[in-house]
Amino acid sequence: MGDNMEFRQLKTFLTVAKLLSFTKAAHDLGYAQSSITGQIQLLEEEFGTMLFERLGKQIKLTKDGEYLYDYATQILKLSDEAKDIISSSLMPKGSLTIGTAESLCLHRLPKVFNSFRTCYPDVEINLFFDTGGNYRTLIRKNVIDIVFFLDVPCVEKDLITHILFEEEMSVIAPPNHPLTKKCEITPYDLTGEALVLTSEGCTYRGIFESILTQTGVKPSSIMGVSSNEVIKRFVCDGWGIGFLPRVVVEQELITKQLVELPWAGPPFGIKAQLIYHKDKWQSPALRAFIELVLKTF
């Protein structure tokens, strides 16, 4: 078989052979008759033989044409099978490893996960929880496929970043704390206060501490806790001032177990983001997840 033969020419050959008419084949395939004739001539030049005997207006396959008919039938059948297999492989399946934080998983992602599992039940989702500081390293090592996290906007050249929305943050205190009586709170009001924050390495704890450091504020103590629920409980019990995404503490604010202090300090600028490596192969499952997140948020 030469390098120039096309599946299109084989399909044309089979159609002419079945209908035994160039005119009928042209009508069936939607080509001009001259195009049909040209394609058959190219095939005959390719094989160096006549494929059809022309007897006036009638045609029939030559012996070589009969040989080609059998092979062309098999070739096009295998081509169709290959298309079916490859098309089915493009359906999202396999697994996805998603890095995220507890707060996002509980309060932002359930809708995404529910929709994704409904649409793509063959995809296995693995969640990787971390404080945020290690995500970039894990993406670069291909340990995780994609990260949904909170931070200031990521601008690293080897990472693709989708900014989804700004996450509102809350500085929280127990209802009987003296700071709840103030009309506004600045970093200076936290001088000498005990703080109950997320663990070291958490992106938004780092942002909060950076604001305090830049203004020269020194709290009396900082307790690092890896669980948002424990942080809320400790703040309710008077252990100190907390700092969490507002969505995490909404219920406690409604029931007045906690009070959101009227922050008047520098803006936190914390964004919910989706990031992945620019060279990461986007499997159908990963591509579908990215599209669903962008559509949802």
Side-chain angles (χ1 to χ4, degrees):
M1 184 190 300
D3 292 335
N4 298 324
M5 188 174 65
E6 299 178 358
F7 289 124
R8 177 172 61 98
Q9 293 169 353
L10 288 180
K11 185 177 180 181
T12 296
F13 166 74
L14 288 178
T15 304
V16 174
K18 289 173 183 177
L19 298 176
L20 295 177
S21 168
F22 285 84
T23 303
K24 291 179 180 179
H27 183 269
D28 189 73
L29 294 173
Y31 294 138
Q33 185 169 335
S34 58
S35 176
I36 298 293
T37 302
Q39 290 183 50
I40 297 301
Q41 287 174 345
L42 287 173
L43 273 180
E44 290 179 330
E45 290 174 8
E46 184 83 15
F47 287 103
T49 187
M50 295 295 291
L51 299 174
F52 293 97
E53 288 185 45
R54 282 85 166 172
L55 302 173
K57 294 185 178 180
Q58 295 183 342
I59 61 172
K60 73 172 184 176
L61 286 170
T62 63
K63 197 66 177 177
D64 288 334
E66 291 175 359
Y67 289 141
L68 179 58
Y69 185 92
D70 292 335
Y71 282 106
T73 301
Q74 293 180 54
I75 290 169
L76 291 181
K77 181 175 181 295
L78 288 172
S79 173
D80 289 339
E81 288 178 2
K83 289 178 182 178
D84 289 342
I85 291 172
I86 293 172
S87 296
S88 67
S89 74
L90 296 177
M91 289 299 294
K93 57 186 176 182
S95 65
L96 277 181
T97 301
I98 302 167
T100 189
E102 177 192 356
S103 60
L104 290 170
C105 185
L106 289 176
H107 300 281
R108 297 297 191 189
L109 289 176
K111 181 179 178 181
V112 172
F113 290 148
N114 286 337
S115 297
F116 191 82
R117 287 178 65 82
T118 299
C119 295
Y120 312 110
D122 293 332
V123 179
E124 175 185 330
I125 295 176
N126 301 301
L127 296 178
F128 186 97
F129 293 107
D130 201 291
T131 55
N134 296 324
Y135 283 141
R136 292 169 176 82
T137 300
L138 294 173
I139 284 180
R140 291 182 176 113
K141 290 183 176 180
N142 206 28
V143 174
I144 53 181
D145 298 311
I146 195 165
V147 175
F148 190 97
F149 77 133
L150 300 176
D151 201 348
V152 294
C154 176
V155 292
E156 296 175 52
K157 292 183 179 179
D158 61 336
L159 301 178
I160 302 295
T161 302
H162 296 284
I163 304 295
L164 303 175
F165 55 87
E166 181 162 356
E167 186 69 85
E168 296 185 60
M169 304 298 294
S170 290
V171 181
I172 52 175
N176 59 352
H177 196 284
L179 289 180
T180 61
K181 296 179 172 58
K182 299 198 68 171
C183 295
E184 62 180 29
I185 298 295
T186 69
Y188 301 104
D189 292 306
L190 301 182
T191 301
E193 292 287 341
L195 303 181
V196 183
L197 304 177
T198 45
S199 301
E200 287 189 5
C202 173
T203 52
Y204 53 81
R205 168 178 169 165
I207 293 168
F208 189 61
E209 287 185 303
S210 177
I211 290 174
L212 298 184
T213 299
Q214 289 172 13
T215 51
V217 171
K218 292 184 178 181
S220 63
S221 65
I222 298 178
M223 176 183 287
V225 181
S226 61
S227 166
N228 291 338
E229 294 302 313
V230 174
I231 291 173
K232 291 190 289 184
R233 171 57 61 187
F234 282 1
V235 174
C236 285
D237 291 345
W239 288 49
I241 303 296
F243 180 66
L244 288 172
R246 182 175 294 165
V247 68
V248 173
V249 297
E250 278 181 347
Q251 189 58 40
E252 287 78 11
L253 295 177
I254 291 172
T255 58
K256 299 185 179 179
Q257 293 173 275
L258 292 171
V259 174
E260 181 177 23
L261 300 180
W263 181 255
F268 302 119
I270 296 174
K271 311 287 187 180
Q273 303 165 69
L274 197 69
I275 65 169
Y276 49 93
H277 201 279
K278 68 179 180 64
D279 297 326
K280 174 73 176 176
W281 177 64
Q282 290 189 24
S283 66
L286 178 57
R287 189 163 56 249
F289 182 77
I290 293 170
E291 290 173 356
L292 179 59
V293 170
L294 297 181
K295 181 181 178 180
T296 301
F297 294 107

